[in-house]
Amino acid sequence: MEMSVIFSTYNSEEWLEKVIIGFSVQTFRNFEIIIADDGSRETTKQLIDKLKTEIDIPIIHVWQEDNGFQKSQILNKAILASTSDYLIFTDGDCIPRQDFVEVHNNFREKGYFLSGGYFKLPMDISKAITKEDIVYQRCFDINWLKQNGLPSSYKNIKFTSKGFMSKLLNFLTPTNASWNGHNSSGWKKDLIAINGFNQEMQYGGQDRELGERLFNLGLKSKQIRYSAICVHLDHKRGYVNEETWKKNHAIRKNTRDNKVVKTPIGIDSN
């Protein structure tokens, strides 16, 4: 495999199936899917086993026991399970446009990591998207989205910008090109060098902290926010709490202030 696509999931079969269908229709085909499963129930495994027989993209299912929110740990295990030297990270609630992997392949470069974004859909559209809408890419058609209730917004330009315009918007966007867990990619050797994700961190900023350590390693980033497109399906967020945020902010501050490159609790802990 030239590339590996890694994303996490937890007891979310409806969204997971839509995401896997999105990767089954990619224009670039020489990649594998690695599902980082943070302790999902048996029905998730049954769905994955079923989809393995229906699509021609290899799927590796990496599972760990449910011990609370341990996303950083399962992502590190997924990195170890990958068989390619270039890794794309997204999430189990993000449907990729059919050129998503191709864009990451075209923009990758030694000494850099790629930073993308996502377009968040409301719950009613998230639920309405069918397999056919993904296969025929209707869920990326601005007219179809508006017909299904998407309000007008300057953000909708993500669906219509192509070629030179998307590159120009990548250049002009004020958003910091740091690591975005929904849409980023980098070389496996660089992620190994910084020891992957910090497993002390739970929800809130563990992806950004990883990007800050890649910067400390000496890497640069490239913005592909308007080129690599994925739609983020809506869902409830019941795992956010103030204590976790404070702990994660303290870890990120230490990473920045002390130019930390290698986290002490990361890939090699697995």
Side-chain angles (χ1 to χ4, degrees):
M1 295 291 105
E2 284 190 53
M3 309 177 82
S4 302
V5 171
I6 296 175
F7 55 83
S8 63
T9 192
Y10 176 71
N11 289 341
S12 186
E13 293 88 3
E14 182 181 1
W15 280 188
L16 177 62
E17 182 171 18
K18 294 181 182 186
V19 172
I20 293 176
I21 292 169
F23 281 108
S24 74
V25 295
Q26 292 292 298
T27 53
F28 183 94
R29 308 296 296 172
N30 193 10
F31 71 97
E32 63 188 1
I33 296 170
I34 303 179
I35 301 172
D37 188 342
D38 190 16
S40 294
R41 56 201 167 210
E42 179 65 19
T43 48
T44 295
K45 180 181 183 301
Q46 292 170 358
L47 171 65
I48 294 170
D49 289 343
K50 170 179 173 289
L51 291 172
K52 281 181 179 180
T53 68
E54 296 177 355
I55 72 171
D56 60 359
I57 302 295
I59 298 177
I60 299 173
H61 183 198
V62 182
W63 182 89
Q64 66 184 12
E65 290 188 12
D66 188 354
N67 187 28
F69 188 90
Q70 299 294 330
K71 182 177 179 179
S72 295
Q73 182 180 62
I74 195 62
L75 288 175
N76 283 337
K77 291 178 179 179
I79 291 171
L80 292 174
S82 63
T83 67
S84 74
D85 61 0
Y86 196 82
L87 311 180
I88 302 172
F89 287 78
T90 180
D91 226 332
D93 52 15
C94 291
I95 302 174
R97 196 169 66 184
Q98 63 182 4
D99 61 347
F100 184 84
V101 177
E102 181 179 354
V103 169
H104 278 273
N105 179 64
N106 291 342
F107 279 86
R108 64 176 175 166
E109 182 179 350
K110 296 287 186 179
Y112 289 82
F113 68 85
L114 303 180
S115 174
Y118 59 85
F119 189 100
K120 187 176 179 181
L121 297 176
M123 180 63 79
D124 55 347
I125 300 180
S126 299
K127 297 285 287 186
I129 293 173
T130 66
K131 176 180 179 179
E132 288 72 26
D133 295 327
I134 301 169
V135 170
Y136 296 106
Q137 297 290 282
R138 289 191 288 261
C139 56
F140 297 96
D141 184 308
I142 190 62
N143 294 321
W144 183 90
L145 290 165
K146 286 184 175 180
Q147 289 170 8
N148 282 271
L150 185 71
S152 297
S153 168
Y154 71 92
K155 295 180 180 179
N156 295 352
I157 196 173
K158 281 187 178 180
F159 295 111
T160 57
S161 60
K162 303 284 184 180
F164 172 78
M165 180 55 69
S166 62
K167 291 180 180 179
L168 178 63
L169 290 170
N170 289 335
F171 177 76
L172 294 176
T173 180
T175 305
N176 181 32
S178 187
W179 191 275
N180 182 336
H182 296 88
N183 185 353
S184 284
S185 63
W187 299 93
K188 184 176 180 178
K189 67 178 183 61
D190 293 331
L191 294 169
I192 295 292
I194 65 170
N195 206 18
F197 291 88
N198 186 327
Q199 293 179 192
E200 289 186 289
M201 299 184 74
Q202 294 184 313
Y203 179 81
Q206 68 266 49
D207 52 347
R208 305 297 183 183
E209 194 272 344
L210 178 137
E212 288 156 359
R213 284 187 284 114
L214 287 173
F215 285 134
N216 294 342
L217 182 65
L219 268 67
K220 298 178 181 179
S221 63
K222 286 197 283 187
Q223 180 70 266
I224 57 169
R225 196 176 191 85
Y226 291 89
S227 300
I229 305 300
C230 63
V231 290
H232 188 308
L233 304 173
D234 197 10
H235 60 83
K236 295 180 179 179
R237 291 163 178 78
Y239 37 75
V240 181
N241 63 75
E242 186 177 357
E243 182 181 353
T244 296
W245 275 108
K246 287 182 177 178
K247 177 182 177 181
N248 289 354
H249 277 297
I251 292 173
R252 288 188 64 186
K253 186 177 186 301
N254 178 66
T255 296
R256 292 190 298 268
D257 293 349
N258 295 301
K259 302 298 181 184
V260 175
V261 171
K262 187 173 181 178
T263 180
I265 304 177
I267 288 176
D268 59 14
S269 301
N270 299 290

